[in-house]
Amino acid sequence: MNLFLGIFELVVFFSGVVIMDRLFGKWGLYTWMALAVVFANIQVSKQVDIAGISTALGNVMFASTYLATDILNEKYSVKASKSAVKIAAASLIAYIVFAQFTQSFIPNAYDAVDPGMKTIFAMSVRITAASGLMFVLSNWLDVILYQKIKEKTNGKHMWFRNNISTILCNCAENFAFSILAFIGTYDLLYCLEIAVAGSLIEMLIALCDTPFLYLAKNSKKSGILIEEENEEIKEDVEDVTEAAA
């Protein structure tokens, strides 16, 4: 059951990245980055077995951020990719602050969710700190590595730079995060098991995101729901001109 849910999640999330680019352009991808880093940090607290392998949830959601930065790099600029990482980091910090306020309030007699929220938010402090640090470092490294490979290959072989940068950065992030976030809560052997399982899953996910990158890259128009500011200025000028006439 978990395997099929994981495959379905992958298709939905990666399609979501492409759709956000199609509808809202780079602003949609910025939004996706901010949402993904928050929800991934909630998901990662849950331990599951997929095809007999123990791992933490959140792998697909985190992987979708690499797809988002790669699309930004290909269609917009390397600066846009770096901006997306900064926005996601700020969103993560805001989430940590909001989580602490949420669990600090004393519930009244009618409350039914406080124990569950405290469990999630109390655990997420350490997890989110470890995840946030590794998220920022790995995504920043991914942006730089992706651009370096792009320059070395003269913009050719997009599949190559996509997979190499994503796999290397994601696997490094998995091992560092698994140890920082779970050591002490789980024994070292299980932490390494989570890291290896997560890395194997991330390798497969990285291969799967390549068609979505090409789909976004070959999309003729992005941001179809975004109203361009220059168009508004043009309309204002025309209105002033007509009024003066």
Side-chain angles (χ1 to χ4, degrees), residues 24-200:
F24 305 105
K26 65 180 181 180
W27 306 108
L29 296 176
Y30 290 160
T31 302
W32 182 275
M33 290 286 290
L35 291 172
V37 71
V38 171
F39 282 103
N41 275 284
I42 295 174
Q43 278 191 316
V44 79
S45 300
K46 186 169 183 175
Q47 303 296 310
V48 297
D49 290 333
I50 298 179
I53 300 175
S54 298
T55 187
L57 277 182
N59 288 318
V60 176
M61 184 64 88
F62 272 123
S64 71
T65 64
Y66 292 95
L67 174 60
T69 54
D70 289 352
I71 293 174
L72 284 164
N73 196 316
E74 287 295 333
K75 297 186 68 174
Y76 302 97
S77 67
V78 65
K79 289 183 178 180
S81 297
K82 292 180 178 179
S83 294
V85 177
K86 294 175 185 176
I87 290 171
S91 300
L92 190 57
I93 293 172
Y95 165 68
I96 295 174
V97 174
F98 297 160
Q100 297 316 299
F101 273 108
T102 299
Q103 68 170 338
S104 296
F105 277 91
I106 300 173
N108 63 23
Y110 297 97
D111 179 80
V113 300
D114 185 63
M117 294 181 74
K118 279 191 172 180
T119 300
I120 294 174
F121 291 145
M123 188 174 184
S124 72
V125 176
R126 178 183 175 185
I127 291 176
T128 303
S131 176
L133 176 63
M134 297 316 304
F135 169 83
V136 173
L137 291 177
S138 63
N139 271 271
W140 194 266
L141 179 61
D142 175 70
V143 170
I144 294 174
L145 183 58
Y146 188 97
Q147 184 63 23
K148 291 294 184 182
I149 297 175
K150 185 177 181 180
E151 292 172 357
K152 291 292 184 181
T153 56
N154 296 317
K156 300 177 181 179
H157 312 304
M158 186 168 67
W159 63 270
F160 178 75
R161 57 180 174 271
N162 167 240
N163 285 294
I164 293 299
S165 62
T166 299
I167 289 174
L168 289 178
C169 295
N170 227 333
C171 288
E173 185 270 338
N174 258 300
F175 273 89
F177 165 75
S178 296
I179 293 174
L180 290 174
F182 297 123
I183 193 70
T185 303
Y186 307 116
D187 59 54
L188 179 60
L189 185 61
Y190 184 71
C191 291
L192 293 175
E193 183 181 343
I194 294 174
V196 172
S199 296
L200 291 173

